[in-house]
Amino acid sequence: MGDSGLTTPLSMAYKKKVKSAWKNRLNRFRTFYRKISRSERGMAECVGAKPQVFFRNKPREVLSVTEQEAIEKIHSVYPTGMKNGLENMRSLMEKLGNPQERLTMVHVAGTNGKGSCCAMIERVLRAAGCHTGLYTSPYIEVYNERIRLDGVPISGEKLAALVEKVWHAVQACEKENVHVTEFELGTALAFTCFAEEKVDVAVIEVGLGGRLDPTNIIHPAVSVITEVGMDHMKILGNTLSEIALEKAGIMKRGVPVVLGRQEKEARGVLLAAAKGLDLPVIELTAENIREEQKQIMFDVAFENVKLPNLKVSLCGRHQADNACAALGALLTLKKKGFRVTEDAIRRGMADVHWPGRLEYFGRVLLDGAHNDPGVRALCAYLDRWMPKEKTVLVSAMMRDKETVKMCQRLASRVHSVVCTQPSIPRAMPADELAGEFEACGVRTYACPSPSDALEEARRLAGPEGNVVCAGSLYLIGEVRTLLRHEKEFAHVI
């Protein structure tokens, strides 16, 4: 999920919890960047990206804001931000000269799969020789992940320079009684960055919903809506139709829209919205899907384009649907003059990576499933590749999710569960979550510390067993940091 939801008054106790949580994240951020302070060429080669996007070889600006101070400034607006439709964002961007109006963009909404879809679009465009920008949320380990140039998170120095550049506009907004949210500020940083770098295409992921999301001030070249499901009901609505209507809010007159695979109810709403705006709708279907443990292959055809045996280097059958949505956007860009060749599509799709989504670290599998549709996709993967009697689950969940339903699905796929809680105020206490899993008839343990939970799960699984971590992207971030600090995975970025 994104962090672009409504802001409500916070108690002092809650503010202290928030401050403590962000302090923990800052510590992880500093550790991460110490770890990647290798040469920019080595770093870029690790992720298959262009090395020039790291800025250490460029003339250094004299900055009054350090990397750490920039992160603290970004998080400092969280307690004071007040969501006001799109007016905050319009005011902020106007003060910055509306850099988003100089960009060619792809706008991606959806309940699940939108991050993977964005990663696929960006990777293929990079394979086609484009200079790319990618904006996604939330981050898994460090804030810089949200803004990527040619597939690589921006450096701390670049982030500090962006914050210094944008901060005057934030202060100007405050003088007009406009209090921007953290997500609005992050979106402004991304737009400013991509305009400065003159990217060929910026791929923009919606934070939450669509209609009122801060990213929705843009006029993209193509809009994409991946699977719509039940999540964030308190904000978006209690039915699939209501949620789909919010997602449809990213549609713009004159902008083609690509639809990923949808349930009948949601698809009907989306098609009606597109018809009302007289928009062309692109829908691709994967055929003959062949699933391997760490990749998928399928056939797809659209108009005069045929792509048999297309390989995608992401796990799970559901990624075929996300890939089809990405292909719809790429083929639309091709019609608009971008040189998206079959070779670029094949090379990009075969080399795409998206952290924390069915990602393996030895016998530990990380998946960011944090709502019921995401858990359904994870369970389908577990049914195929992980025997119940050899699988232990590490789980944490947020209080505002459909926890009972998710626990019921996951409990029947594992022989035991270790419940924990990340350093987030919204997290359900480990013992409370353990109670929900116990009600499903599975052996359950409670370890509030994610580090202790991972250690206990590995002990329970044994050397031949599997550990699956799921239920919250915040949990995945903390566990991924722990795993990358192990010698065996020191090379992973």
Side-chain angles (χ1 to χ4, degrees), residues 331-378:
L331 294 174
T332 301
L333 290 175
K334 183 177 182 179
K335 288 182 177 180
K336 291 178 178 287
F338 286 86
R339 294 189 63 186
V340 182
T341 64
E342 179 178 340
D343 177 67
I345 290 172
R346 291 190 179 277
R347 286 189 293 111
M349 289 290 189
D351 191 44
V352 67
H353 176 62
W354 196 228
R357 280 73 169 186
L358 288 176
E359 181 184 21
Y360 278 91
F361 283 78
R363 301 194 73 90
V364 178
L365 176 66
L366 307 184
D367 190 60
H370 58 280
N371 53 36
D372 189 53
V375 168
R376 280 204 314 267
L378 170 60

Side-chain angles (χ1 to χ4, degrees), residues 118-192:
C118 286
M120 293 181 205
I121 295 169
E122 187 280 329
R123 187 64 189 90
V124 171
L125 288 172
R126 189 157 27 105
C130 293
H131 179 30
T132 63
L134 176 62
Y135 178 58
T136 59
S137 62
Y139 60 88
I140 299 295
E141 294 183 73
V142 294
Y143 190 91
N144 307 50
E145 296 170 26
R146 293 180 110 162
I147 306 172
R148 296 173 184 253
L149 293 168
D150 295 325
V152 180
I154 60 171
S155 68
E157 182 178 310
K158 178 65 176 176
L159 181 63
L162 286 168
V163 170
E164 189 166 57
K165 198 160 294 183
V166 170
W167 197 251
H168 74 87
V170 175
Q171 293 175 317
C173 283
E174 288 177 351
K175 290 178 181 178
E176 297 173 2
N177 205 31
V178 174
H179 303 285
V180 301
T181 67
E182 183 178 334
F183 191 86
E184 289 164 344
L185 173 55
T187 304
L189 294 172
F191 292 163
T192 302

